[in-house]
């Protein structure tokens, strides 16, 4: 029975993710300005991605309040990643609710568990990552946009709740994923030389790899 409980949680929560992903797909298609989605908004894509993320989070976090908060981040993260890949924008109407939900959840957890330092670290992580991306955005002259800065703040909040090591690893891994993707596109000629790779998807991927695999402080 002891071994079956985690498996049951992962399977059931992944199924919940697939259901949530169906709604994510519908919402995402409505946000796209043109019907240019192709595979990214095909029937199985959003439900599959969301189910995988929900399953990984359930395996990593177990049945805790953190699971609900990070699962919400996963759902909006899938939508943000798809929109950014297709239209190279990160809608504020998705990023801001992420701040509200995670901020409220972490505040409640900090009060219940007397984890004020964790909450302060999460807030500091959010400001640090957003500030770093703001500097990069100003220095790059358009390579990063305001949406990337806001997303960086949201991911910094989520990673900061875990540890400072998670913040650092999430940022570095995200940029590594972006660099590899850029090299592949450049070497294969799938995109013109002037193509700007959206930063959102690799940053999201890096953050969720860390959230799913790295132990908290």
């Amino acid at each position: 029975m002891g071994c079956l409980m985690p498996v049951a949680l992962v399977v059931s929560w992944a199924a919940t993710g697939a259901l949530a992903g169906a709604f994510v797909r519908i919402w995402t298609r409505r946000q796209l300005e043109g019907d240019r989605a192709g595979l990214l908004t095909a029937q199985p894509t959003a439900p599959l991605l969301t189910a995988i993320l929900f399953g990984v989070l359930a395996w990593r976090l177990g049945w805790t309040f953190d699971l609900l908060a990070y699962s919400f981040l996963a759902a909006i993260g899938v939508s943000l990643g798809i929109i950014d890949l297709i239209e190279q924008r990160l809608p504020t109407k998705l990023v801001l609710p992420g701040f509200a939900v995670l901020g409220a959840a972490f505040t409640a957890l900090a009060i219940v568990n007397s984890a004020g330092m964790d909450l302060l670290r999460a807030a500091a992580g959010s400001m640090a990552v957003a500030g770093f991306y703001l500097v990069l955005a100003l220095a790059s002259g358009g390579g990063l946009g305001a949406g990337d800065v806001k997303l960086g703040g949201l991911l910094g909040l989520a990673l900061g709740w875990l540890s400072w090591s998670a913040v650092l690893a999430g940022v570095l891994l995200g940029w590594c994923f972006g660099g590899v993707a850029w090299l592949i596109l450049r070497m294969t000629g799938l995109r013109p030389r002037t193509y700007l790779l959206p930063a959102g998807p690799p940053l999201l991927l890096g953050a969720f790899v860390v959230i799913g695999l790295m132990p908290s402080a």
Side-chain angles (χ1 to χ4, degrees):
M1 285 296 293
C3 294
L4 292 178
M5 288 299 291
V7 173
L9 172 61
V10 170
V11 172
S12 61
W13 200 245
T16 303
L19 180 60
F23 290 97
V24 168
R25 172 185 172 272
I26 294 172
W27 193 94
T28 302
R29 289 189 69 90
R30 291 178 178 176
Q31 303 310 306
L32 294 172
E33 296 175 352
D35 189 13
R36 299 178 282 111
L39 176 64
L40 289 172
T41 49
Q43 186 69 30
T45 305
L48 177 61
L49 291 175
T50 312
I52 291 172
L53 289 175
F54 271 46
V56 170
L57 290 171
W59 170 77
R60 163 67 174 81
L61 300 172
W63 186 241
T64 62
F65 194 61
D66 298 63
L67 177 62
L68 299 178
Y70 284 109
S71 295
F72 180 82
L73 179 64
I76 64 171
V78 169
S79 185
L80 284 168
I82 291 174
I83 294 173
D84 201 24
L85 275 174
I86 297 172
E87 298 185 344
Q88 296 195 349
R89 63 186 181 91
L90 294 163
T92 301
K93 66 174 66 176
L94 268 180
V95 178
L96 290 185
F99 275 107
V101 171
L102 264 66
F106 294 159
T107 299
L109 285 168
I111 294 173
V112 172
N113 299 324
S114 300
M117 292 305 297
D118 292 341
L119 182 61
L120 289 176
R121 186 180 61 236
S126 177
M127 291 186 289
V129 177
F132 174 59
Y133 286 174
L134 177 60
V135 172
L136 289 181
L138 295 175
S140 65
L144 286 179
D148 298 309
V149 176
K150 296 172 187 175
L151 177 62
L154 177 60
L155 297 179
L157 178 69
L159 293 166
W161 179 253
L162 300 177
S163 67
W164 279 114
S165 297
V167 174
L168 180 60
V171 171
L172 291 178
L173 197 56
W175 285 101
C176 286
F177 285 142
V180 170
W182 183 85
L183 284 175
I184 292 174
L185 293 175
R186 186 71 178 270
M187 294 173 63
T188 58
L190 294 175
R191 290 291 186 273
R193 291 178 178 270
T194 56
Y195 176 75
L196 292 177
L197 180 72
L203 296 181
L204 285 161
L205 178 59
F208 277 108
V209 168
V210 170
I211 293 170
L213 297 179
M214 188 172 185
S216 58

